[in-house]
């Protein structure tokens, strides 16, 4: 049974569309657009993609949703990446926190940073491809594999942010502090981004036929732009100050010595801190079962000793429940070489590695004598022994005995931090520098003879530091290891900081960000003016380019001046389509054009009759 003429005609027209697509693909060489569309939507061939015609939306509803989801994912991933990159100051605490919960060491902080950076790069690349396609007037189509990737990235960003907000909520304070240093540069970057986005926004604004869409896209763009322009008016940073008002650099106190160069709370670590230029030493003191104060930060010995090899059945026993003879059997340095918490152990030479391996748990007396030898300040947290310990009620007295009767340190070198029995300690040893770990009113601090505050860096406040300094109460911030955070403490007027990175901060001779109010005002005003001029130029250019294009003629859309309108094919011009056997591709057909028929010539006689 033969096919009907209608079916044959449809078949011919269907095959003709393939031919026309290949003609377009042959005559339109757009390698840049092909690369963009191929990477974004796997549309490497010309006939797989289409331009957004004047008056049309740049994509379907589904693709609009995908593009919106891409934008949301980009910003959420950017927020998390910025948040975690600025939290580098506390990576060591984060890794040891996971060690305590999981029982094994792994640099989780760096893994999280690398993964978030990789996912952000992926999403940012997709967004750049989409913006470039829009700038070229192409309709968007996101490949399904990228849609899955965006959902995975979005899930990761939300989950990681939620978990870290629950476990490390104080890091959000670090994020807010970082804006006091990075906000000027973030402002410039944001304005630059909005200036670049003006090109696709202007292109599609002038090509849209519906006023509602035009108002929406332009209103949203201008709202974000003007908000960015005005952000500097509400920005505060202690590093924006008049010339000559910057105080001296904060004194550096080694946190448990120099833990990036040697195992923490060891004699080698404190020696390295002195050599690096530290003017003070910080540690943690616990009292052994037989009354010997020794240096140990954790409540157990599992993290910083080889307790598993020496006493495998007592790994979770409190450190204070061991005698000094048992503590002397432990190594306090092998763990540093095996776990390499700061990534610095590999740089040690064989002689230094041997010194590290031979480190033992030091006593408080050894620590104080080393500080006395080099004339360094000392500050330490004193751990109260657990229930059942012989020195649970006399721990303060035992520590003071070592400090005044067994060591050679001068009392004025000691920043006395324990708050228990402070009145008694102050009365017996008035030379000690009474130090408090809590903020309070000036009156309360003066009643307790406090001369120094030891505060977490997240509570940094220039006003508070200045207020305390006016009554001779200095402020020490802990633990400050990143240059930007040290710069902020310097600008805020902190007198000293406790740090893990003595060898790095000692080489910082001025804050990494410091400018006068006049310089900053000039910077952001010029940035805004240049951006506004460029955006106006972009919009004027697109208006001038599009004003000659007839968008609509009555109810029929007119757009006949495209670069490939000459390839339009009339179905009446097609006589037939046959397969060309010279090509193996079944989609290659040869078009046989219908010959133009000439009108019949009339005989001369007929012509004479007509006349």
């Amino acid at each position: 049974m033969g096919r009907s003429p209608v079916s044959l005609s449809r078949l011919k027209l269907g095959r003709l569309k393939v031919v026309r697509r290949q003609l377009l693909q042959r005559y339109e060489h757009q390698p840049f657009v092909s690369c963009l569309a191929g990477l974004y939507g796997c549309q490497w061939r010309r006939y797989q993609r289409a331009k957004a015609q004047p008056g049309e939306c740049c994509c379907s509803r589904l693709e609009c949703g995908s593009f919106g989801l891409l934008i949301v994912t980009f910003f959420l991933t950017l927020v998390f990446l910025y948040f975690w990159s600025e939290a580098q100051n506390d990576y060591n605490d984060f890794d040891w926190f996971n060690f305590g919960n999981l029982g094994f060491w792994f640099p989780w902080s760096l893994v999280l940073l690398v993964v978030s950076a990789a996912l952000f790069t992926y999403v940012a690349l997709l967004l750049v491809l989409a913006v470039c396609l829009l700038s070229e007037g192409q309709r968007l189509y996101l490949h399904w594999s990228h849609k899955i990737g965006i959902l995975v990235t979005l899930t990761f960003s939300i989950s990681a942010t939620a978990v870290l907000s629950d476990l490390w909520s104080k890091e959000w304070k670090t994020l807010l502090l970082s804006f006091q240093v990075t906000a000027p540069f973030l402002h410039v970057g944001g304005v630059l981004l909005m200036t670049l986005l003006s090109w696709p926004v202007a292109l599609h604004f002038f090509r849209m036929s519906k006023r509602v869409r035009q108002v929406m896209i332009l209103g949203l763009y201008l709202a974000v732009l003007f908000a960015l322009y005005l952000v500097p008016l509400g920005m505060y940073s202690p590093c924006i100050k008049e010339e000559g008002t910057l105080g001296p650099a904060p004194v550096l106190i080694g946190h448990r010595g120099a833990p990036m160069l040697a195992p923490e709370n060891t004699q080698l670590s404190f020696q390295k801190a002195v050599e690096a230029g530290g003017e003070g030493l910080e540690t943690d003191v616990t009292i052994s079962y037989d009354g010997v104060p020794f240096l140990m930060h954790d409540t157990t010995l599992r993290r910083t000793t080889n307790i598993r090899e020496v006493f495998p059945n007592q790994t979770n026993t409190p450190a204070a429940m061991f005698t000094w003879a048992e503590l002397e059997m432990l190594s306090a340095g092998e763990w540093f070489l095996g776990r390499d918490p700061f990534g610095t152990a590999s740089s040690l030479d064989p002689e230094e590695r041997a010194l590290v391996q031979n480190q033992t748990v030091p006593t408080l007396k050894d620590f104080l004598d080393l500080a006395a030898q080099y004339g360094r300040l000392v500050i330490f947290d004193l751990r109260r022994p657990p229930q059942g310990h012989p020195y649970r009620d006399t721990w303060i007295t035992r520590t003071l005995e070592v400090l005044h009767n067994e060591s050679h340190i001068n009392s004025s070198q000691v920043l006395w931090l324990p708050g228990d029995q402070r009145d008694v300690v102050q009365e017996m040893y008035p030379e000690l520098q009474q130090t408090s770990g809590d903020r309070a009113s000036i009156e309360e601090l003066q009643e307790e003879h406090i001369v120094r505050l030891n505060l977490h860096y997240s509570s940094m406040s220039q006003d508070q530091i200045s207020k305390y300094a006016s009554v001779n109460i200095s402020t020490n911030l802990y633990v400050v290891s990143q240059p930007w955070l040290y710069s902020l403490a310097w600008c805020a007027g902190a007198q000293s900081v406790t740090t893990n990175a003595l060898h790095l901060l000692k080489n910082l001779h001025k804050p990494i960000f410091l400018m006068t109010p006049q310089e900053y005002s000039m910077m952001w005003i010029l940035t805004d003016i240049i951006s506004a001029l460029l955006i106006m130029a972009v919009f004027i250019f697109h208006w001038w380019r599009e004003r000659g294009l007839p968008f609509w003629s009555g109810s029929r859309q007119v757009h006949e001046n495209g670069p490939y309108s000459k390839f339009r094919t009339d179905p009446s011009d097609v006589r037939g389509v046959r397969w060309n056997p010279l090509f193996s591709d079944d989609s290659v057909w040869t078009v046989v054009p219908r010959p133009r028929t000439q009108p019949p010539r009339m005989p001369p006689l007929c012509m004479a009759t007509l006349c």
Side-chain angles (χ1 to χ4, degrees):
M1 189 174 186
R3 296 183 178 179
S4 64
V6 177
S7 300
L8 289 175
S9 177
R10 289 178 179 176
L11 178 61
K12 292 177 180 179
L13 288 177
R15 292 171 178 174
L16 179 60
K17 290 180 180 179
V18 176
V19 176
R20 185 170 182 272
R21 287 171 180 172
Q22 292 210 349
L23 285 173
L24 290 176
Q25 193 173 0
R26 175 182 298 272
Y27 287 100
E28 183 180 17
H29 298 289
Q30 291 182 314
F32 178 68
V33 175
S34 297
C35 183
L36 294 176
L39 293 175
Y40 187 79
C42 201
Q43 295 178 325
W44 298 98
R45 297 177 181 272
R46 168 62 184 86
Y47 63 81
Q48 292 176 318
R49 58 182 186 270
K51 276 195 171 185
Q53 301 298 327
E56 293 182 351
C57 183
C58 61
C59 50
S60 63
R61 290 186 178 180
L62 177 61
E63 295 305 321
C64 279
S66 299
F67 183 62
L69 187 64
L70 176 61
I71 295 176
V72 172
T73 305
F74 171 80
F75 282 107
L76 289 179
T77 310
L78 175 62
V79 169
F80 177 76
L81 178 61
Y82 178 81
F83 162 75
W84 193 239
S85 62
E86 293 301 320
Q88 290 185 40
N89 190 80
D90 300 322
Y91 278 6
N92 190 55
D93 294 340
F94 178 79
D95 291 334
W96 286 125
F97 172 80
N98 289 318
F99 173 83
N101 291 324
L102 302 176
F104 63 92
W105 166 262
F106 192 77
W108 296 105
S109 57
L110 291 179
V111 172
L112 195 57
L113 180 64
V114 171
V115 171
S116 59
L119 292 178
F120 172 75
T121 303
Y122 167 69
V123 173
L125 179 60
L126 286 181
L127 188 59
V128 169
L129 292 174
V131 172
C132 290
L133 286 171
L134 291 176
S135 301
E136 291 291 329
Q138 298 290 320
R139 290 179 62 86
L140 294 182
Y141 171 76
L142 184 64
H143 195 258
W144 62 267
S145 60
H146 289 320
K147 294 175 182 176
I148 295 176
I150 291 173
L151 291 176
V152 170
T153 304
L154 181 63
T155 303
F156 169 82
S157 300
I158 294 176
S159 302
T161 303
V163 171
L164 290 176
S165 297
D166 182 50
L167 298 178
W168 292 78
S169 58
K170 66 179 182 180
E171 294 301 329
W172 288 109
K173 296 181 180 179
T174 305
L175 180 71
L176 296 178
L177 283 176
S178 71
F179 287 142
Q180 298 182 13
V181 174
T182 62
F185 309 103
L186 293 177
H187 168 254
V188 174
V191 171
L192 176 61
L193 178 61
M194 293 301 294
T195 304
L196 294 176
L197 288 178
S198 65
W199 185 274
V201 170
L203 173 67
H204 290 275
F205 171 79
F206 287 112
R207 287 198 168 189
M208 285 182 177
S209 59
K210 296 184 178 179
R211 289 293 181 186
V212 176
R213 290 181 178 177
Q214 285 182 317
V215 171
M216 287 179 59
I217 188 174
L218 188 61
L220 178 61
Y221 177 78
L222 292 180
V224 176
L225 183 64
F226 288 146
L228 277 176
Y229 283 169
L230 300 178
V231 157
L233 294 176
M235 201 203 80
Y236 162 78
S237 173
C239 292
I240 300 178
K241 53 177 52 186
E242 296 293 344
E243 189 174 357
T245 60
L246 180 67
V251 170
L252 297 176
I253 298 177
H255 182 237
R256 307 173 200 168
M260 298 181 72
L261 305 177
E264 66 178 61
N265 282 335
T266 61
Q267 289 295 90
L268 179 61
S269 181
F270 296 116
Q271 186 69 40
K272 292 281 189 182
V274 171
E275 294 174 358
E279 299 182 43
L281 304 173
E282 186 273 347
T283 189
D284 309 273
V285 178
T286 302
I287 300 179
S288 69
Y289 196 77
D290 51 353
V292 179
F294 65 98
L295 309 187
M296 184 59 57
H297 174 268
D298 299 0
T299 56
T300 68
L301 302 168
R302 186 179 62 166
R303 182 174 67 89
T304 57
T305 69
N306 60 341
I307 184 72
R308 291 187 177 183
E309 287 77 21
V310 181
F311 302 107
N313 298 325
Q314 302 182 61
T315 55
N316 294 320
T317 302
M321 302 307 288
F322 288 85
T323 64
W324 178 243
E326 293 172 329
L327 293 170
E328 284 185 305
M329 300 170 60
L330 301 175
S331 170
E334 291 182 1
W335 69 272
F336 182 79
L337 298 176
R339 293 170 185 153
D340 194 10
F342 293 97
T344 55
S346 58
S347 63
L348 300 177
D349 57 40
E351 183 178 350
E352 290 176 325
R353 296 178 70 89
L355 284 175
V356 169
Q357 288 180 333
N358 293 330
Q359 292 302 301
T360 58
V361 178
T363 64
L364 174 61
K365 177 182 179 301
D366 296 334
F367 168 72
L368 296 176
D369 287 343
L370 185 145
Q373 178 184 353
Y374 293 100
R376 298 298 192 265
L377 297 173
V378 298
I379 181 173
F380 54 84
D381 285 312
L382 184 59
R383 315 289 186 190
R384 187 176 185 181
Q387 293 285 348
H389 194 282
Y391 290 87
R392 176 170 174 79
D393 297 325
T394 58
W395 54 302
I396 296 289
T397 304
R398 178 66 187 118
T399 303
L400 290 172
E401 287 178 359
V402 173
L403 196 153
H404 288 93
N405 301 331
E406 301 178 18
S407 70
H408 301 90
I409 196 168
N410 192 315
S411 298
S412 60
Q413 294 177 244
V414 179
L415 309 180
W416 184 259
L417 187 58
D420 297 86
Q421 306 176 28
R422 188 181 294 275
D423 294 339
V424 176
V425 173
Q426 169 64 23
E427 184 177 353
M428 293 177 59
Y429 305 102
E431 300 86 3
L432 295 174
Q433 297 190 42
Q434 295 296 324
T435 304
S436 174
D438 301 315
R439 283 196 301 183
S441 65
I442 292 178
E443 293 75 16
E444 293 174 336
L445 295 176
Q446 289 178 331
E447 287 178 4
E448 296 185 357
H449 306 281
I450 300 298
V451 296
R452 188 180 296 259
L453 289 174
N454 186 51
L455 305 175
H456 190 264
Y457 72 84
S458 62
S459 61
M460 185 189 313
S461 169
Q462 184 179 17
D463 294 337
Q464 290 289 334
I465 292 174
S466 300
K467 183 177 69 173
Y468 291 133
S470 65
V471 292
N472 296 321
I473 298 177
S474 58
T475 302
N476 178 70
L477 301 174
Y478 69 92
V479 173
V480 176
S481 300
Q482 290 295 309
W484 72 265
L485 198 55
Y486 179 69
S487 300
L488 195 61
W490 188 345
C491 294
Q495 285 75 30
S496 60
V497 298
T498 303
T499 178
N500 292 327
L502 272 168
H503 60 299
L504 299 178
L505 300 185
K506 194 66 178 179
N507 297 324
L508 198 64
H509 302 297
K510 65 177 182 179
I512 59 176
F513 168 65
L514 180 66
M515 62 174 58
T516 64
Q518 295 78 15
E519 291 173 339
Y520 178 61
S521 298
M522 182 66 67
M523 183 185 76
W524 75 264
I525 290 175
L526 284 178
T527 300
D528 290 355
I529 291 176
I530 294 173
S531 169
L533 292 176
L534 290 175
I535 291 174
M536 289 176 60
V538 169
F539 271 81
I540 292 174
F541 170 77
H542 281 287
W543 171 79
W544 172 80
R545 192 179 71 169
E546 299 292 336
R547 64 176 180 175
L549 295 179
F551 288 173
W552 295 87
S553 178
S555 61
R556 181 180 176 183
Q557 186 177 0
V558 179
H559 188 64
E560 298 295 329
N561 57 341
Y564 301 105
S565 58
K566 59 185 177 181
F567 291 112
R568 297 181 182 276
T569 307
D570 188 351
S572 63
D573 293 338
V574 180
R575 183 180 64 183
V577 181
R578 67 170 180 266
W579 177 65
N580 193 332
L582 296 179
F583 300 93
S584 58
D585 189 353
D586 290 344
S587 64
V588 179
W589 298 77
T590 301
V591 181
V592 182
R594 184 184 301 274
R596 297 289 184 178
T597 58
Q598 299 293 332
R601 299 183 63 182
M602 301 181 67
L605 180 60
C606 295
M607 293 291 293
T609 305
L610 291 174
C611 294

